[in-house]
Amino acid sequence: MSESVVAPDPEEILAALDPEQRAVATAPLGPMVVLAGAGTGKTRAITHRVAYAVHTGVLSPTQTLAVTFTARAAGEMRSRLRVLGVEGAQARTFHAAALRQLHYFWPQAIGGGAPQVLSQKAPVVAEALGRLRLEVDRTVLRDVAAEIEWAKVSMLTAEGYAAGARAARREAPGMDHSAMAKVLDAYESCKADRGVIDFEDVLLLTVGILEDREDIAAAVRRQYRAFVVDEYQDVSTLQQRLLDAWLGGRRDVCVVGDPAQTIYSFTGASDRHLLGFSARYPGASTVRLVRNYRSTPEVLEVANRVVSGPTATARGAVRLVAQRAAGPLPTLREYEDDAAEAQAVARSIRDRLDTGASAGDIAVLVRTNGQTEVLESALAEEGVPYLIRGGERFFNRAEVRQALVLLRGAARTDAGDVALPDLVGAVLAGAGWSPSAPGVRGAARERWESLSAIVALADELAGTRPEAGLVEFVAELDERAAAQHAPAAAGVTLASLHAAKGLEWDHVHVVGCSEGLIPISLADTPAGVEEERRLLYVGITRARRTLDLSYALGRGSSRGGRRLSRFLVGLDGALDSPVPVPRARHAASGVRRGPRSKGSGRRRAPVPPCRVCGATLTTSAARTLGRCETCAATADPSLVDALRTWRTQRAARDKVPAYIVLTDVTLTALAERSPRNTDDLLAIPGIAERKVEAYGTEILALIADEASRP
C-alpha cells in the first residue's frame, strides 16, 4: 500500500542528519564502508543516502537495491523511503531479492517454472537420515538441518564438507564428519527426487545463473546500478558471492555493519567481508557512526567497557558516544537460584507497570530458550503480559490466517461508516478476540496477543490515515504478510539475546549473567568466547533508559557453583550492585593471562591449562577432558565401566547410536570429574542443557551410587 508524500527538498533531507550521517548521504556513488555502532542511526543514514541520490537526480529509485537480513528491517527501510518521497526503490532480504530474480529468469535460463521452495527442511532431512538408517531425536534433527544450512552458505559440497568443517573447528551434530557428509549427499538426492529446492538453493541457483548467463547478468546490472547492504558483518560466503554477481565488477556499493555485533558465526556469517572491504575496494570511503541516540551515558559506559574488556579481541568496534541525557546506573543483582532471580525480575516489572510504564517498552533477555520456563511462570504469577519472540512467524499462525480470511470477507461489504479500529475489533470478535486479556497463560493467551496486535495495527493506520477503511487495511496486512513484517504486540518481550538483535526497549533485563551461560559453556575456543562477549554487548545496547543485569548462584535444587560472568568483572563504579563487583584481576574472574599474539598488541582470549601438567590445551578433546590426551587418566575404572554400560543401555532404549548419547571423550571426562549436580555437568564441554535434561538425572544417580560403594 503506497502513500502520497510530497517530495522533500534535498537540503531538507540533509538537515535531519548529524555530520557523520551526512557524510554517508552525500556520497551516493563509489565504494563506502560505514562502521555503525549500535543505536547510531544507520538506517536513517542509508535511507537518506538513497533519498538524497534520488532527489538530486544522481539515481532513479528503481536503480537502487537495498539489501538486509530480516523482512522486518526491509519493511522498515521501505516505509522510511516512502516518507522521504522515494517510491520504487527496492529494499529486500538477500533471499527475497534472489527469489524474485530466480522466478523471473528461470524460464529463460532453464525452461518452465522455478521449483517449489521448501518451507521446512525437517521432513527432507528426516528422509535423508532414514535412507542412511540413522535414527536421531527431534533436537538432533534440527541440529542436522542447521549444519546443512551452514555447509551450503559456506559453499561446501558433500565431498568438501569434512575438510571445511575441520578447518572451521566445527563438530557435526551427533555424528562424525564423514557421516555428516553422507547426510548432505542423501539430503540433496531427496530434494532432487521431490523436485524441490531449499532457501540456500535460491541463492546458489541465482548465483549460478548470473555467473553462467552473461545476458541475464547484464539485464540485472542494467536494472540496479547502486547497492546498499545493511548488517554487512552477517554476510556469508554465499551471500557475498551473490553480491559480487550483482555488482559485476562495479564499485557503487555501500556496506554498513558493526564488528562488535557479529553474533551469527555459527550460521556461516563472518565479519571478514566488512573488515576487509577497504582492501578489496582501494580508495573506498570509511565513515564511523559513533553518536548513539538510543541509550543513556550510563548504559553505554557498561557497553563500551564490556566490548573492550581486558581479554577482548574485537576489531573495528567503535566507542559509542551518548547523545541522550543521563539516567540511572545499570544494576547488577545476585540471587540464590534461578527461581529467585525470575521472581525478582517479575516483581520489578510489575512495579514498573504499576507506575505507568508500557509492557511493550520492557524486555527480558536470556542466553538460551531453556531459561524462559521459570521466567514465564514468574511473570504469569505477577499478572504480567508477555510475548515470546523467535517462535512461529506471525503471519503463519493459525489465528492470524483465520483473521485475514474474516477481514477479507468483511472488506467486501464495508460501508465505511464505522471507525476502522472498532470495525476490526468487531470482525475479530468472531475469531474469539475480546478487549480484555484472558486470565490464562499458554496457547489461549498467545492467540489473544496475536489478534490484539492486528487491532493495534488498525488503530495505528487510523491515526496516520484517518480516511483508510477495511479495504486499505487488508491491503496493508497482505503487504506485511508478503514481507513477513509482523506488527508490534502489547506485552513484555521475552527473547533470547540472538532474537533481540535489531530491537530496542526502554527497560531491559538481562538474566543469567553467569559463567556457563554468558559465555555459554559450549564456547570452548577463544573465538567462541569473544562471540559470547559480543552477544552480551548486543543485549546491553538494546536498553534505552534502564538496564538490569542479574545472575543466580545455583540452578533449581542445586545451590552455589556459579560465578559472575567474566565479561562483567572489572565494572566496579559502572554498576549499582549491593554485591561488590570483582575487580579486573584474572584470578577473580577465572581467566589466565595468555601470551600476546605477535604484532597485534592484543591479548589472546584465555585458554585453560592441563590440570595434570599445566600445558595449554589446544584440542577440543583435551579441553573436554581438562588435560592433555597424553597425560594419565584419573578416572576410576569401575565408574568408566558403569557409565559405558549405562550408555549402551540408554542408546538401545532410545534407538540411537551410543555416541549420540555420549561420546567416548565426554564419557571419560564425566568419570574423571565425577559431577555432583547439574551445574557441574554443564561445566563439562560437550554437555549442553539438552543432554542434562535428557540424561542428567540418570548420570548423577549412577555416579553417586558408584561413589557410595566400598
Side-chain angles (χ1 to χ4, degrees), residues 407 417-429 433 435 455-456 458-459 462 470:
L407 289 168
D417 54 355
V418 178
L420 180 62
D422 295 337
L423 180 56
V424 171
V427 172
L428 295 189
W433 180 80
V455 177
D459 190 60
L470 205 52

Side-chain angles (χ1 to χ4, degrees), residues 41-299:
K42 64 182 178 65
T43 304
R44 169 183 287 269
I46 57 182
T47 51
H48 281 66
R49 172 189 173 93
V50 173
Y52 186 76
V54 169
H55 292 306
T56 55
V58 176
L59 294 169
S60 70
T62 56
Q63 287 181 308
T64 300
L65 177 60
V67 190
T68 187
F69 282 79
T70 67
R72 178 184 176 278
E76 175 69 15
M77 291 178 95
R78 288 193 296 271
S79 297
R80 293 199 189 193
L81 287 170
R82 283 202 298 266
V83 171
L84 291 170
V86 179
E87 298 282 355
Q90 297 297 307
R92 300 183 180 276
T93 65
F94 271 100
H95 284 92
L99 184 60
R100 186 182 177 95
Q101 293 175 15
L102 193 67
H103 278 295
Y104 185 83
F105 290 112
W106 188 276
Q108 178 182 348
I110 310 297
Q116 179 183 354
V117 180
L118 281 172
S119 59
Q120 295 183 9
K121 281 189 177 67
V124 183
V125 174
E127 182 182 343
L129 291 166
R131 290 186 182 186
L132 297 173
R133 291 182 170 80
L134 293 174
E135 295 186 20
V136 301
D137 62 24
R138 183 176 299 180
T139 302
V140 176
L141 179 65
R142 290 198 301 267
D143 291 344
V144 172
E147 189 69 5
I148 289 173
E149 292 178 7
W150 174 82
K152 297 186 74 167
V153 301
S154 301
M155 304 194 74
L156 295 173
T157 62
E159 293 76 17
Y161 167 79
R166 282 194 293 268
R169 303 186 67 180
R170 192 176 180 97
E171 296 182 5
M175 63 190 75
D176 60 27
H177 290 137
S178 60
M180 186 65 215
K182 293 177 182 177
V183 173
L184 276 166
D185 190 49
Y187 171 75
E188 295 299 327
S189 296
C190 290
K191 282 197 293 124
D193 292 344
R194 294 187 180 203
V196 296
I197 59 177
D198 60 27
F199 278 102
E200 290 70 48
D201 290 329
V202 170
L203 303 185
L204 285 163
L205 289 168
T206 304
V207 167
I209 290 174
L210 293 176
E211 291 182 347
D212 291 345
R213 291 289 299 268
E214 184 57 39
D215 56 331
I216 293 176
V220 171
R221 292 164 193 162
R222 284 194 299 271
Q223 173 70 46
Y224 298 118
R225 178 182 174 187
F227 295 83
V228 175
V229 186
D230 193 13
E231 303 290 358
Y232 193 60
Q233 77 278 351
D234 292 332
V235 164
S236 68
T237 299
L238 177 55
Q239 289 163 333
Q240 181 63 52
R241 183 84 166 259
L242 177 59
L243 178 61
D244 290 341
W246 284 337
L247 283 165
R250 296 172 296 170
R251 290 166 54 89
D252 293 326
V253 56
C254 172
V255 300
V256 187
D258 181 6
Q261 296 188 72
T262 305
I263 59 172
Y264 292 109
S265 65
F266 62 94
T267 68
S270 173
D271 63 2
R272 71 177 185 276
H273 306 292
L274 174 66
L275 296 174
F277 185 86
S278 295
R280 187 168 186 172
Y281 290 92
S285 302
T286 299
V287 179
R288 292 176 176 267
L289 300 184
V290 300
R291 301 173 198 247
N292 179 284
Y293 298 93
R294 176 188 300 161
S295 307
T296 64
E298 291 77 9
V299 170

Side-chain angles (χ1 to χ4, degrees), residues 348-365:
S348 173
I349 293 173
R350 179 72 268 168
D351 292 343
R352 202 180 291 281
L353 295 178
D354 290 343
T355 57
S358 168
D361 289 333
I362 303 173
V364 182
L365 306 183

Side-chain angles (χ1 to χ4, degrees), residues 391-523:
E392 183 181 17
R393 284 185 168 187
F394 182 82
F395 287 102
N396 291 348
R397 298 173 187 171
E399 64 270 21
V400 174
R401 295 199 302 269
Q402 180 190 10
L404 286 173
V405 170
L406 292 174
L407 289 168
R408 289 191 186 101
R412 289 194 287 270
T413 58
D414 177 22
D417 54 355
V418 178
L420 180 62
D422 295 337
L423 180 56
V424 171
V427 172
L428 295 189
W433 180 80
S434 64
S436 300
V440 296
R441 53 184 292 206
R445 179 60 184 243
E446 291 176 5
R447 177 184 178 85
W448 183 85
E449 295 286 2
S450 297
L451 298 177
S452 293
I454 297 176
V455 177
L457 188 61
D459 190 60
E460 179 184 324
L461 181 61
T464 57
R465 298 186 61 203
E467 76 284 359
L470 205 52
V471 172
E472 290 80 7
F473 182 61
V474 169
E476 169 78 7
L477 290 177
D478 286 340
E479 181 178 317
R480 283 174 170 264
Q484 287 294 342
H485 182 196
V492 171
T493 299
L494 186 56
S496 71
L497 290 166
H498 282 101
K501 177 77 166 64
L503 304 175
E504 57 186 78
W505 298 269
D506 280 350
H507 313 286
V508 170
H509 295 260
V510 182
V511 304
C513 296
S514 61
E515 289 289 310
L517 285 173
I518 305 175
I520 195 77
S521 58
L522 294 175

